[in-house]
Amino acid sequence: MTAAMGTPHPGSPPTGELPFFVYGTLLPGEPNHELFLRGRTTGERPAVLPRALLYDGPGYPYAIEGHGRVHGTLLTAVPGVYGELLGLLDHLEEYLGPGHPRNLYERVVREVELPGESGEGADGPGRDRAVEGRPGHGRAEEGEGIAAGAGPVRAWVYLAAAAVTRSLRTGGSLIDGGRWVTGRPPGGPRTP
């Protein structure tokens, strides 16, 4: 674990207590959800990370910047455990600080979309309109609950670090549809 565990690293953008967007082994039903998130989250909503691609890894996926969408879950920490949860996730994701050469992932702030009752924001026809709207328009404010159709929400996301991203772009296995599927061995065929 890092010395600065539990607090954002110097040089990170100001954030407050942002929710977390997860897309792999931290999803509900996955083993790391039980180990790291049980009792530490208060809100879980389906969400989509726009402008990202999902690649297969050795038992877990990697998201990188790209022309696609990654499906996952937006999580809110239980009041009073935010620093603990941030530190646990940094350790799990092998994040040592912004741009650290030994990072497996980078923790970055991104806007994620919450599908509304009609499905808009996930795959509906208006999905890009919410992200490209006026600054501040339709956004859920930090500290507010996660509501369906609230528009883009700023969240912490763990994206593959630079060296990992380069490797994935040249020889990685892209996960079609940007959805991590459970119940398969690493490198094995995806099952529904």
Side-chain angles (χ1 to χ4, degrees):
M1 293 190 188
T2 65
M5 186 187 315
T7 59
H9 293 277
S12 295
T15 58
E17 291 189 358
L18 294 177
F20 300 89
F21 175 79
V22 299
Y23 54 84
T25 65
L26 288 165
L27 288 169
E30 290 287 332
N32 284 334
H33 186 276
E34 179 71 17
L35 291 171
F36 293 93
L37 301 176
R38 184 172 184 225
R40 294 183 179 101
T41 63
T42 183
E44 297 184 352
R45 291 269 310 137
V48 176
L49 177 64
R51 296 174 302 281
L53 298 170
L54 196 62
Y55 280 85
D56 217 351
Y60 47 87
Y62 294 101
I64 68 170
E65 301 282 344
H67 299 288
R69 303 168 66 73
V70 173
H71 297 266
T73 300
L74 190 66
L75 309 168
T76 301
V78 168
V81 303
Y82 189 83
E84 173 193 5
L85 182 57
L86 185 65
L88 286 169
L89 296 180
D90 282 354
H91 180 70
L92 173 68
E93 306 294 6
E94 297 182 40
Y95 171 72
L96 303 174
H100 194 285
R102 291 192 337 225
N103 282 349
L104 185 59
Y105 291 88
E106 290 286 339
R107 177 170 35 91
V108 297
V109 176
R110 292 291 182 267
E111 286 190 347
V112 299
E113 300 170 356
L114 299 174
E117 297 303 316
S118 67
E120 226 170 84
D123 293 311
R127 69 183 181 265
D128 294 326
R129 192 172 51 240
V131 172
E132 296 171 3
R134 294 185 313 248
H137 180 72
R139 298 177 199 282
E141 296 298 321
E142 291 175 28
E144 290 182 359
I146 301 171
V153 176
R154 287 176 25 138
W156 285 122
V157 179
Y158 291 89
L159 296 178
V164 176
T165 297
R166 282 190 299 276
S167 176
L168 291 169
R169 287 192 189 279
T170 59
S173 177
L174 184 65
I175 296 175
D176 291 330
R179 200 178 297 271
W180 176 249
V181 181
T182 61
R184 63 185 170 90
R190 287 186 272 289
T191 58

